[in-house]
Amino acid sequence: MTEISDILFKKLESEFILNRDQLAPIVNGFLNEFQIGLKTPSKGLATMIPSFVTQLPTGNETGTFMSLDLGGTNLRITAVQLLGDGHVKVLEVKHSPTKELKTGPGELFFDWIADAVEELITVKARHLFQPDQVSGKETLALGVCWSFPVDQTEVNRGTILRMGKGFTLQNTEGRDLATMFHEAFERKGLNVKVSAILNDTVGTLVAHAYTNPRSRIGLIFATGVNAAYPEKVENIIKLDQQVRDKYPAGTEMLLNTEIDIFGNEDYLPLTSYDITMDKSHNQPKFQLYEKMMSGAYLGELTRLIAMDFIKNDALFKGQIPEGFDEPWSFPTMYMSALERDVTSTRQVSLEKILGKYHFEQQPSLEDIAILTRICRIVSTRSALLCSCAIAALIEQQGLVTKSNADIIVGMNGSTYEFYPFMEERLHRALRQWFGVEISDRIRLEITSDGGSVGGALIAMLCC
Ligand code: GLC
């Protein structure tokens, strides 16, 4: 390691490897925003969004239900068979929207979804439905897991808010989500009714509760980040008093925090790289916390840091590989590959991973080691920042002091599940915050198919 890269790494680590004192303002900032969000009506950029789900499954429910799960990358329409005893079986139709669909007219997009719903009912899972349901004589209920902010007014009604994740659908913001679905189903002659709308975090929490009824947090750590938890209805001041009065005292309602939107320059330790990346994004100043730590952004942050190293002659002999200066050209997947790599196979992965860039001079093993170390620093900060969300949600619910029971977190998402060492890093970060004794009680458990199973469960619980 040269002297210059040593200096650059020292600076980088001092900015990125946050200690407990540096995490405290973030956790406190989140706790403060929880309180503000509980009071502020959900308009525009809403947080702390009520789901109107006040019941968690017991694990004994049975039957076949249909759900739809839309995220940044995939649309999944699923027939979920609840088998009881916490077991499920899923059969799905999966498609990815093109850029044109994501940025075009809303109606076209919803028509595309309706086609996928039809494919599930009439082809893929035909045998799981009654003949009258397949023919359209009988209405089929659909639980919709929408991984974007929605201002929910009822369990099956909600206004579409600003979407993010590359979606800029025309004529959708401000419209009722269920109505947009129903119009498309009508255009396509489908007898399907949206019986529940939920955020993916709410879906994850509900799905996890099917296998572990003691779950208290549903957390998505994927392309985006977000979390849901049960809050006492009496604390959700933003709900009208008459609405709150309808629920028996002590009732808890699942809240979609939209923690992704939390944070501002005052308490997030934004670096020059975060600021540069945010400026180059098509939605600047939106989701600042998420941009520091979720899968959609880690690769670009790494690229920006690597560019700094190159400019200082500390990487690739000071030569920018052709194409490497292209913003967003270095996906988070490359970081995973570099970090997963072991020395003996480095040369192979180097060609595979960096093959898309043109190098005047082939990078050395030292170059790869430097790039990998940058990846490690960026992803370690991501784990540290994720731990702040978990810590704030645990504190908000008083879970540490209430009892000595384990604290169950249903986790879902590619960054958590597939990024190498992320799980260990997150555990280490929680240990740094809570100490060994308490952090040992925190169980981060993977929820498979959170969105679709949660969607089906809520559709069932609400019918
Ligand atoms: C984004 C969305 C949020 C979703 C999260 C995880 O932050 O705004 O609604 O829950 O991604 O998918």
Side-chain angles (χ1 to χ4, degrees):
M1 196 98 7
T2 59
E3 206 176 312
I4 179 77
S5 63
D6 232 9
I7 296 170
L8 291 173
F9 271 124
K10 272 213 181 90
K11 180 168 175 287
L12 195 63
E13 279 168 350
S14 72
E15 286 180 323
F16 276 68
I17 308 298
L18 307 165
N19 60 33
R20 199 179 186 284
D21 286 346
Q22 290 165 304
L23 295 183
I26 309 174
V27 176
N28 291 332
F30 286 174
L31 285 167
N32 188 33
E33 288 205 53
F34 287 158
Q35 296 315 318
I36 298 171
L38 284 169
K39 284 190 263 180
T40 318
S42 305
K43 290 275 162 321
L45 294 185
T47 64
M48 306 303 265
I49 304 175
S51 67
F52 296 88
V53 175
T54 52
Q55 203 187 339
L56 284 175
T58 61
N60 299 321
E61 296 81 357
T62 53
T64 300
F65 300 89
M66 184 164 61
S67 67
L68 177 159
D69 180 10
L70 179 73
T73 325
N74 291 313
L75 166 74
R76 299 165 74 197
I77 318 288
T78 315
V80 179
Q81 290 175 274
L82 304 172
L83 305 170
D85 215 12
H87 296 296
V88 289
K89 226 164 122 182
V90 298
L91 199 58
E92 69 175 20
V93 164
K94 184 166 149 188
H95 294 295
S96 303
T98 57
K99 192 167 172 224
E100 286 68 40
L101 273 169
K102 286 167 116 175
T103 53
E107 277 83 16
L108 218 64
F109 182 72
F110 282 87
D111 280 351
W112 173 76
I113 293 183
D115 287 339
V117 171
E118 184 170 17
E119 188 185 337
L120 183 87
I121 302 171
T122 60
V123 185
K124 188 85 188 245
R126 191 184 182 103
H127 59 289
L128 296 178
F129 298 109
Q130 304 299 325
D132 278 356
Q133 293 176 321
V134 176
S135 69
K137 256 194 216 149
E138 195 186 308
T139 311
L140 263 168
L142 178 71
V144 173
C145 177
W146 190 252
S147 305
F148 305 90
V150 166
D151 172 20
Q152 268 192 267
T153 42
E154 282 172 57
V155 78
N156 59 350
R157 295 258 147 224
T159 309
I160 302 175
L161 303 173
R162 193 155 148 192
M163 287 182 71
K165 295 183 184 167
F167 279 86
T168 49
L169 292 176
Q170 296 151 22
N171 307 323
T172 49
E173 206 172 315
R175 291 210 54 201
D176 184 78
L177 180 59
T179 306
M180 292 221 68
F181 274 113
H182 293 153
E183 286 172 359
F185 294 151
E186 209 176 309
R187 284 195 291 273
K188 298 282 175 178
L190 293 172
N191 189 1
V192 175
K193 194 166 172 281
V194 173
S195 58
I197 291 172
L198 55 140
N199 181 259
D200 52 353
T201 54
V202 173
T204 294
L205 180 49
V206 172
H208 203 68
Y210 191 64
T211 51
N212 191 341
R214 287 182 301 134
S215 311
R216 294 300 301 185
I217 295 171
L219 192 125
I220 307 277
F221 189 9
T223 316
V225 67
N226 191 10
Y229 76 101
E231 179 61 82
K232 286 204 184 59
V233 172
E234 65 216 47
N235 292 342
I236 313 177
I237 315 286
K238 72 205 296 178
L239 289 176
D240 285 346
Q241 186 70 51
Q242 297 113 289
V243 177
R244 272 181 278 150
D245 287 347
K246 276 200 259 165
Y247 296 93
T251 304
E252 289 181 321
M253 183 185 284
L254 303 190
L255 276 190
N256 161 20
T257 60
E258 285 296 340
I259 205 163
D260 48 285
I261 301 175
F262 282 32
N264 52 45
E265 294 83 350
D266 292 346
Y267 74 80
L268 288 177
L270 294 163
T271 65
S272 58
Y273 305 109
D274 297 300
I275 294 166
T276 307
M277 184 182 72
D278 183 48
K279 280 193 185 142
S280 79
H281 193 261
N282 66 355
Q283 294 186 315
K285 301 262 179 185
F286 180 51
Q287 298 177 313
L288 280 183
Y289 165 62
E290 178 168 296
K291 284 194 184 119
M292 295 174 84
M293 51 81 71
S294 77
Y297 308 101
L298 299 180
E300 177 62 2
L301 283 173
T302 300
R303 192 193 66 83
L304 288 171
I305 298 167
M307 284 294 288
D308 240 6
F309 274 62
I310 300 172
K311 284 180 191 153
N312 283 289
D313 286 336
L315 182 63
F316 303 143
K317 303 199 173 51
Q319 310 264 324
I320 302 172
E322 208 179 300
F324 195 77
D325 50 356
E326 179 70 36
W328 306 96
S329 69
F330 189 83
T332 304
M333 223 170 56
Y334 287 9
M335 298 171 66
S336 299
L338 283 166
E339 281 219 63
R340 188 172 295 117
D341 204 1
V342 286
T343 318
S344 58
T345 57
R346 278 241 157 109
Q347 203 61 42
V348 181
S349 72
L350 184 155
E351 279 157 26
K352 259 205 274 179
I353 301 163
L354 298 175
K356 96 171 191 201
Y357 304 108
H358 178 74
F359 292 87
E360 290 278 316
Q361 243 184 328
Q362 273 311 300
S364 62
L365 289 181
E366 171 84 6
D367 285 328
I368 295 303
I370 290 178
L371 195 56
T372 309
R373 185 163 165 197
I374 298 175
C375 296
R376 191 159 56 237
I377 293 171
V378 171
S379 63
T380 299
R381 184 183 71 162
S382 164
L384 285 161
L385 290 170
C386 183
S387 79
C388 293
I390 299 178
L393 286 159
I394 289 178
E395 301 216 353
Q396 172 71 10
Q397 299 180 71
L399 297 179
V400 168
T401 45
K402 239 185 220 160
S403 80
N404 284 328
D406 282 351
I407 298 167
I408 313 291
V409 185
M411 303 275 305
N412 193 274
S414 48
T415 307
Y416 179 69
E417 290 177 53
F418 308 125
Y419 195 101
F421 315 114
M422 193 53 95
E423 192 184 336
E424 281 108 294
R425 286 174 192 160
L426 186 50
H427 274 292
R428 207 176 310 139
L430 287 167
R431 209 170 308 136
Q432 173 177 314
W433 180 259
F434 285 109
V436 181
E437 205 180 313
I438 294 165
S439 71
D440 274 358
R441 285 170 46 201
I442 305 172
R443 301 256 167 272
L444 306 178
E445 301 178 345
I446 295 201
T447 317
S448 335
D449 301 311
S452 21
V453 175
L457 278 162
I458 296 181
M460 180 218 62
L461 290 171
C462 298
C463 276

